[in-house]
Amino acid sequence: MDALGNFVNIHDRDISFQGCSRCEGFCCQGKNGFMMAPLILDDFEEVFEHFPIVFAFHESHLNILMLINDGQSACRYLNANGCAIYDHRPPACKLYPISPYYEHILVDTSCPSVNFFHGTKLYRQGTLHPAFQTKRLENFILKREATQAFLSTI
């Protein structure tokens, strides 16, 4: 898979990330299309206290999603200083603009801090930058399968 909307496969691409400090919460804004983020079972503990969790069917599979905002307004934790829960933000927010998608790692090219020239190289010589190598990505396919197996029992 090469792309999914603005999310492109990071493999073999020379993409850089300038960091969140220069951004005004692009990914937190509902008007930019970031209303929900997919969850795996491991995410629940870090998410349920701060965000609503919804269940939805997609392609005949039940999925778990974190509701970030209402689709029009910004995340309720975004303020003039940035994210009010930055140190405790959910796994999907910690990874952004990176997103696992089955066996692929995608990067959102619509993020204002993603470019091809300046900043930290996200992927180099077959390895994701260490800042994005989180516990959530370890064995992600197995975690996703375990989540789907659990949801199929509901």
Side-chain angles (χ1 to χ4, degrees):
M1 180 184 57
D2 197 44
L4 185 65
N6 291 328
F7 286 82
V8 300
N9 195 323
I10 199 169
H11 186 68
D12 295 333
R13 299 198 190 228
D14 194 21
I15 299 175
S16 298
F17 181 64
Q18 290 183 290
C20 297
S21 62
R22 302 177 70 185
C23 180
E24 296 177 4
F26 177 84
C27 56
C28 306
Q29 302 289 336
K31 62 186 177 191
N32 295 324
F34 301 104
M35 187 172 141
M36 294 180 259
L39 300 176
I40 55 176
L41 291 176
D42 291 6
D43 296 337
F44 269 88
E45 198 170 313
E46 296 183 59
V47 172
F48 82 94
E49 290 185 40
H50 298 289
F51 293 91
I53 294 174
V54 297
F55 294 83
F57 278 97
H58 179 68
E59 297 178 0
S60 74
H61 292 288
L62 185 60
N63 292 282
I64 319 166
L65 304 160
M66 171 185 79
L67 191 60
I68 300 170
N69 56 56
D70 63 8
Q72 299 298 315
S73 309
C75 172
R76 67 182 176 176
Y77 297 106
L78 181 65
N79 60 38
N81 298 320
C83 179
I85 60 167
Y86 189 82
D87 292 334
H88 304 287
R89 68 198 188 282
C93 298
K94 289 176 185 174
L95 274 175
Y96 188 81
I98 300 292
S99 181
Y101 186 76
Y102 296 96
E103 70 273 9
H104 305 285
I105 297 178
L106 308 179
V107 63
D108 185 2
T109 57
S110 70
C111 170
S113 292
V114 168
N115 65 76
F116 297 95
F117 309 107
H118 307 291
T120 302
K121 295 293 181 201
L122 292 175
Y123 192 80
R124 181 170 285 174
Q125 298 174 342
T127 304
L128 187 63
H129 189 278
F132 292 96
Q133 291 178 359
T134 66
K135 180 181 173 187
R136 186 175 199 252
L137 290 180
E138 294 173 10
N139 300 311
F140 183 78
I141 294 172
L142 295 174
K143 292 175 184 177
R144 172 101 171 108
E145 289 171 354
T147 300
Q148 288 300 310
F150 170 76
L151 291 173
S152 70
T153 66
I154 296 177

